[in-house]
């Protein structure tokens, strides 16, 4: 990586916005206004076209939840771009743990609370000069009410539903930024290896039979753990271990 420092000694520049289509889309449309040598954190109070993985919608009512996109660049040979979403899911999980709320991570980076989705991460990349521009969006249902949660096409919950109290979005964001910056520095220094154990602690479906889509192909097997690269290891019915590197658990 040519000795280039990506995250060490850097600060996060917070850019709060009101209503946007999607913070990820906003970053893509405003790339030329953002400093590629900084880490920028774009937040919105509401998204009118929030997006999830696989082009699913992300319900984003005004003032209820956290909608954030981190933007930064990495050299093209940075080997851990594929782990950035997993690392951010661990940063958020650490925060929940500090709040004595036990979340799980559904591989690769969905945040679950009581087996229901409480947060999701959308990682997108785009070329920026001779670098990779990373747009890492995270949505966390902090104060969403049961009425709106019921409109989501999969079992979903919010921190408020589980804890019975309202949460301050900016205070949560400040802590997330601090934790994520520390985790980025660790990823830069030591790679995914120090995160592997943490990830396996939070991993949901461990030991269960699951169905996965990996690069368009369907696999069924027992969910074991993630390896040192963050791939999900599946024990297939024929006893072989299949590492899932891109895709999702159905
Ligand atoms: C998923 O679980 O499918 C990923 C959801 C990601 C949602 C966040 S909210 C902030 C950022 N802007 C978006 O449009 N999506 C991400």
């Amino acid at each position: 990586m040519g000795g280039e420092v990506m995250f060490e000694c850097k600060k996060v520049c917070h850019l709060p916005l009101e209503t946007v289509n999607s913070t990820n889309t906003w970053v893509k449309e405003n790339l030329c206004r953002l400093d590629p040598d900084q880490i920028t954190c774009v937040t919105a109070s509401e998204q009118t076209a929030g997006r999830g993985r696989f082009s699913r919608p992300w319900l984003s009512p005004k003032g209820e939840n956290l909608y954030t996109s981190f933007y930064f660049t990495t050299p093209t040979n940075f080997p851990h771009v594929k782990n950035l979403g997993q690392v951010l899911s661990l940063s958020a999980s650490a925060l929940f743990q500090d709040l004595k709320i036990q979340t799980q991570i559904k591989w690769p980076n969905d945040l679950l609370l009581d087996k229901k989705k409480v947060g999701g991460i959308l990682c997108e990349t785009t070329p920026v000069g001779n670098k990779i521009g990373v747009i890492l969006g995270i949505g966390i249902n902090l104060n969403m009410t049961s009425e709106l949660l019921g409109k989501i096409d999969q079992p979903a919950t919010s921190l408020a539903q589980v804890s019975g109290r309202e949460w301050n979005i900016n205070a949560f964001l400040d802590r997330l930024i601090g934790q994520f910056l520390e985790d980025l520095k660790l990823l830069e220094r030591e790679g995914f290896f120090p995160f592997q154990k943490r990830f396996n602690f939070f991993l949901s479906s461990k030991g269960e039979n699951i169905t996965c889509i990996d690069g368009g192909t369907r696999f069924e097997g027992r969910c074991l753990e993630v390896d040192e690269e963050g791939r999900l290891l599946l024990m297939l019915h024929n006893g072989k271990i299949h590492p899932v590197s891109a895709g999702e658990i159905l």
Side-chain angles (χ1 to χ4, degrees):
M1 283 173 273
E4 181 180 349
V5 175
M6 284 182 288
F7 308 121
E8 210 60 59
C9 309
K10 291 228 171 124
K11 290 206 181 96
V12 176
C13 163
H14 182 201
L15 193 52
L17 303 172
E18 276 302 317
T19 303
V20 295
N21 45 12
S22 137
T23 52
N24 269 38
T25 309
W26 189 92
V27 169
K28 282 188 188 171
E29 290 172 349
N30 291 276
L31 268 188
C32 58
R33 294 165 58 185
L34 302 174
D35 184 347
D37 297 322
Q38 253 189 357
I39 304 170
T40 306
C41 169
V42 176
T43 55
S45 60
E46 117 180 278
Q47 301 186 120
T48 53
R51 298 184 287 115
R53 296 178 76 220
F54 308 108
S55 307
R56 293 178 189 131
W58 187 261
L59 201 56
S60 312
K62 194 176 183 94
E64 291 191 22
N65 301 321
L66 180 74
Y67 318 115
T68 295
S69 296
F70 290 95
Y71 168 67
F72 47 85
T73 59
T74 73
T76 46
N77 61 353
F78 180 56
H80 304 295
V81 171
K82 62 183 184 312
N83 299 121
L84 286 165
Q86 291 177 308
V87 168
L88 180 55
S89 72
L90 283 171
S91 309
S93 303
L95 248 71
F96 280 115
Q97 204 175 26
D98 284 352
L99 299 169
K100 310 270 180 279
I101 291 182
Q102 188 59 58
T103 48
Q104 288 197 307
I105 301 175
K106 180 178 170 193
W107 188 92
N109 47 38
D110 281 357
L111 292 161
L112 302 184
L113 190 46
D114 288 348
K115 296 194 188 298
K116 296 176 196 157
K117 191 147 169 172
V118 71
I121 290 169
L122 176 65
C123 184
E124 300 179 292
T125 56
T126 183
V128 174
N130 59 357
K131 292 184 169 185
I132 301 176
V134 177
I135 302 146
L136 192 53
I138 179 165
I140 300 184
N141 299 336
L142 290 181
N143 299 313
M144 212 170 193
T145 58
S146 52
E147 195 191 333
L148 276 185
L149 286 165
K151 296 195 172 147
I152 297 176
D153 58 359
Q154 57 181 308
T157 191
S158 68
L159 192 50
Q161 287 293 303
V162 172
S163 63
R165 54 159 282 204
E166 201 169 305
W167 293 83
N168 182 305
I169 299 171
N170 282 326
F172 196 92
L173 174 69
D174 283 347
R175 293 175 71 166
L176 181 65
I177 290 174
Q179 181 67 46
F180 184 49
L181 188 55
E182 288 312 307
D183 289 336
L184 278 179
K185 290 181 201 167
L186 182 61
L187 182 72
E188 180 175 6
R189 282 195 312 269
E190 298 182 34
F192 189 72
F193 183 70
F195 296 97
Q196 182 188 5
K197 200 169 160 196
R198 258 163 78 183
F199 201 95
N200 282 323
F201 171 78
F202 287 108
L203 181 66
S204 71
S205 305
K206 256 182 303 207
E208 294 172 16
N209 284 321
I210 56 170
T211 303
C212 274
I213 299 291
D214 183 16
T217 308
R218 197 182 167 102
F219 291 91
E220 283 177 16
R222 188 144 53 86
C223 170
L224 300 179
E225 58 180 9
V226 299
D227 67 9
E228 66 288 346
E229 291 180 29
R231 299 176 302 183
L232 183 68
L233 300 181
L234 261 193
M235 163 93 84
L236 304 180
H237 297 315
N238 63 10
K240 285 196 177 143
I241 308 284
H242 176 78
V244 186
S245 45
E248 67 171 338
I249 299 177
L250 295 182

